Amino acid sequence: MTDAPPPPSGTSGDGAGGPRRAAVLGSPVAHSLSPAMHRAAYAAMALDGWTYDARDVTETELPAVLAACGPEWAGLSLTMPLKRAVLPLLGELDEVARATGVVNTVTWRGEGAAREALGANTDVEGIAGALSPLLAAAPEHGVVLGGGATGVSAVAALASLGCRRVVALVRSPERAAALREVGARSGVAVALEPFAEAAARTAAADVVVSTAPAGAADALAAEVAAASGGGHRGVLLDVVYDPWPTALAAAWRGPVVDGFEMLVRQAVGQVRLMTGAAPSPDLLREAGRAERRRRAAATPAR
């Protein structure tokens, strides 16, 4: 999946386009580490005057916010609940966004009346990139916990890693048709099962991606640990990174990677789309860690 929109006009790794603006939008969004990582990339690329902020924006507010983004805007990162709400507001989607119906990055192309907003999905890149170093071979059987936008991206990511069978554990199967749809487009057979089946299904999986919000999978942790016997053969990616470890990650008896690594990897793709140059994952990883240390130091001890 490489048919991505080109970088926004007037951008380059040497800052030739002049100062530009970017931001992460969502609600809530104050916790986001994206500003620290994107700003570190701008500094390393000598993009003087570029700014990146966090803005709390709801689905209702999104159309007006997007319409107000003038030519000084290089891009937007989108988090929940905006990854699907933005679709009707865009002129074109990249291949991954079309396949998933999920957008986490907006850039623009053209000028004046011909200027249009472009949607891309770098979450798939982020999930696959976080998992790849821990996989000795292409996984055959995957499990996804959760049926939301990130769950859909997880199915597409598992397909890109070679997975051909996925069990999606969801609370409302009737509302998770998008998981089957992206599976069909990606050549993956997706079976929908109740969330309560997680313990049995994860024990036999080659790779598990939990997209459940913080705390949502805690009640399953003890069952998942008990069902593993001597240990889990598969790799677990839990997209939550704060607090860490989650109860599920702590109970997992096998390789584990947290959502922070996914965040780093998807941010590499976002910076590439917004500036035309890809930063080192190590640079963004260290910037994110430094911001986490800063926040921890600023939090009063209880």
Side-chain angles (χ1 to χ4, degrees):
M1 297 181 175
T2 58
D3 184 21
S9 59
T11 64
S12 71
D14 61 5
R20 304 294 296 277
R21 298 181 66 185
V24 56
L25 311 184
S27 185
V29 78
H31 66 284
S32 178
L33 295 173
S34 293
M37 292 193 291
H38 284 249
R39 291 169 187 168
Y42 299 164
M45 295 175 182
L47 293 175
D48 297 332
W50 279 55
T51 62
Y52 187 104
D53 302 301
R55 300 180 62 182
D56 197 292
V57 174
T58 65
E59 293 179 71
T60 303
E61 296 166 333
L62 182 60
V65 170
L66 199 62
C69 290
E72 74 277 13
W73 281 87
L76 298 170
S77 306
L78 302 182
T79 186
M80 299 305 293
L82 307 179
K83 294 184 179 184
R84 286 172 170 156
V86 74
L87 292 172
L89 309 176
L90 302 173
E92 186 177 331
L93 303 179
D94 78 350
E95 182 182 355
V96 186
R98 286 197 302 271
T100 58
V102 174
V103 166
N104 77 328
T105 311
V106 175
T107 56
W108 286 268
R109 178 172 59 199
E111 299 178 0
R115 188 168 182 259
E116 64 176 345
L118 312 173
N121 179 329
T122 68
D123 280 340
V124 171
E125 174 183 342
I127 293 169
L131 286 169
S132 292
L134 298 179
L135 295 173
E140 295 183 6
H141 176 208
V143 169
V144 173
L145 276 67
T150 307
V152 172
S153 292
V155 171
L158 292 179
S160 73
L161 292 170
C163 199
R164 289 296 171 260
R165 292 185 298 119
V166 172
V167 174
L169 301 158
V170 297
R171 298 190 186 280
S172 302
E174 65 276 8
R175 296 174 58 190
L179 295 167
R180 279 184 170 157
E181 292 171 4
V182 73
R185 297 188 193 107
S186 306
V188 177
V190 177
L192 302 181
E193 296 191 9
F195 204 72
E197 297 296 320
R201 296 307 179 197
T202 57
D206 297 315
V207 59
V208 176
V209 181
S210 174
T211 69
D218 288 2
L220 298 172
E223 296 177 34
V224 167
S228 71
H232 292 97
R233 73 176 189 179
V235 176
L236 170 68
L237 165 62
D238 193 326
V239 303
V240 174
Y241 60 85
D242 187 17
W244 187 261
T246 63
L248 180 61
W252 194 258
R253 300 175 181 175
V256 178
V257 60
D258 73 351
F260 176 68
E261 187 62 22
M262 171 194 165
L263 184 70
V264 168
R265 299 284 181 164
Q266 64 81 32
V268 169
Q270 289 188 330
V271 174
R272 182 181 67 244
L273 289 170
M274 295 179 191
T275 71
S280 161
D282 290 339
L283 173 72
L284 302 192
R285 192 178 294 112
E286 181 49 41
R289 287 173 177 164
E291 176 62 12
R292 293 171 88 174
R293 291 193 295 268
R294 185 195 70 77
R295 293 180 186 180
T299 302
R302 295 183 179 179

